[in-house]
């Protein structure tokens, strides 16, 4: 546990607690509201215990989401599809390629430098090794939070659908999917743009 905590920033801890708390609320007041014993709920009733439980649940949930969020090699190029898949994928090459094409219009010399994910990883870790990623890591934290919060809210809405009603549940799902897919998509685009620009200027003289 100590090794895990040492790798987490205060921002990571807060976002982990928030997503975990949303999931706990969903379980407590959703489908399992009549299943969880009252004695168990009383054990975690105090604020410190709520924070601890929320953190553990959020941490486990983050690891599960991370395991099932894969690198994407999809050949679909529809913008709406890419926005949606950005919630379920990381390092989406179709988005990377689209960002590179846009960058090529502004800087023709930067076009066609990245031909596959390996090229992107090489560019990313070259900047990382030279400590030149800048705000990329901050935006990556935002992007990861958006992804975790999306899945937490998705599960919460599903768990509480019986109480919310199907009309409100479906409306909520539509809004959550639309808002979070756009937010995640824009974060990912910004990350790729900064990495590609940084890689170009770093190797400009080569």
């Amino acid at each position: 546990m100590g090794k895990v905590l040492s790798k987490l920033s205060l921002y990571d801890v807060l976002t982990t607690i928030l997503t975990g708390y949303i999931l706990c609320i969903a379980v407590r007041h959703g489908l399992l509201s009549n299943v969880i014993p009252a004695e168990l709920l009383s054990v975690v009733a105090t604020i410190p215990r709520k924070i601890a439980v929320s953190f553990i649940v959020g941490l486990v949930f983050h690891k599960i989401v991370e395991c099932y969020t894969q690198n994407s090699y999809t050949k679909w190029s529809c913008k709406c599809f890419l926005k949606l898949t950005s919630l379920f994928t990381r390092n989406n090459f179709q988005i990377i390629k689209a960002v590179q094409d846009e960058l090529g219009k502004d800087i023709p010399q930067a076009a066609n430098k990245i031909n596959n994910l390996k090229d992107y990883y090489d560019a990313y870790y070259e900047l990382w090794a030279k400590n030149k990623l800048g705000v990329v890591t901050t935006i990556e934290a935002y992007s990861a939070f958006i992804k975790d919060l999306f899945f937490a809210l998705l599960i919460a809405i599903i768990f509480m659908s019986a109480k919310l009603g199907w009309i409100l549940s479906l409306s909520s799902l539509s809004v959550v999917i639309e808002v979070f897919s756009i937010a995640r998509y824009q974060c990912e685009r910004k990350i790729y743009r900064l990495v590609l620009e940084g890689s170009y200027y770093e190797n400009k003289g080569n």
Side-chain angles (χ1 to χ4, degrees):
M1 180 63 73
K3 291 183 178 179
V4 174
L5 291 175
S6 66
K7 295 179 181 179
L8 295 175
S9 65
L10 177 60
Y11 178 82
D12 293 325
V13 172
L14 292 176
T15 55
T16 299
I17 290 173
L18 177 59
T19 53
Y21 185 70
I22 291 173
L23 290 171
C24 289
I25 291 295
V27 171
R28 171 64 182 88
H29 298 284
L31 294 177
L32 303 180
S33 58
N34 298 322
V35 178
I36 302 175
E39 295 79 6
L40 179 60
L41 293 175
S42 64
V43 171
V44 295
T46 63
I47 292 177
R49 287 173 180 171
K50 283 182 179 180
I51 293 174
V53 171
S54 297
F55 176 75
I56 293 172
V57 171
L59 189 62
V60 172
F61 180 73
H62 172 75
K63 294 301 180 183
I64 293 173
V65 171
E66 196 68 20
C67 287
Y68 285 93
T69 307
Q70 303 297 325
N71 294 327
S72 175
Y73 297 90
T74 176
K75 294 182 179 179
W76 289 79
S77 57
C78 172
K79 191 171 184 178
C80 292
F81 182 80
L82 289 178
K83 287 180 181 179
L84 182 60
T85 56
S86 68
L87 287 168
F88 303 93
T89 62
R90 61 174 179 265
N91 298 327
N92 190 313
F93 186 67
Q94 285 302 110
I95 302 178
I96 294 173
K97 190 66 177 175
V99 170
Q100 180 176 241
D101 291 342
E102 292 178 7
L103 179 61
K105 294 177 182 178
D106 298 330
I107 310 173
Q109 298 88 340
N112 301 320
K113 296 290 185 180
I114 306 297
N115 298 307
N116 49 56
L117 277 178
K118 182 181 181 302
D119 292 342
Y120 176 76
Y121 290 144
D122 290 342
Y124 181 97
Y125 285 107
E126 180 186 17
L127 294 176
W128 176 80
K130 297 178 180 179
N131 198 28
K132 293 186 177 181
L133 282 176
V135 297
V136 169
T137 53
T138 302
I139 301 175
E140 285 177 330
Y142 294 155
S143 185
F145 172 61
I146 289 169
K147 179 185 64 178
D148 287 354
L149 187 58
F150 164 75
F151 282 107
L153 289 174
L154 189 66
I155 292 174
I157 293 171
I158 293 172
F159 269 50
M160 301 183 70
S161 58
K163 291 188 176 182
L164 293 174
W166 290 108
I167 294 178
L168 182 56
S169 296
L170 291 175
S171 300
S172 300
L173 282 174
S174 300
V175 172
V176 167
I177 291 173
E178 178 68 18
V179 171
F180 280 80
S181 62
I182 292 174
R184 167 84 171 178
Y185 178 71
Q186 293 302 328
C187 279
E188 293 295 289
R189 281 179 55 85
K190 185 65 175 178
I191 291 168
Y192 304 148
R193 175 85 182 202
L194 290 172
V195 170
L196 295 178
E197 284 182 348
S199 178
Y200 166 72
Y201 286 112
E202 184 65 24
N203 297 284
K204 188 175 180 180
N206 298 335

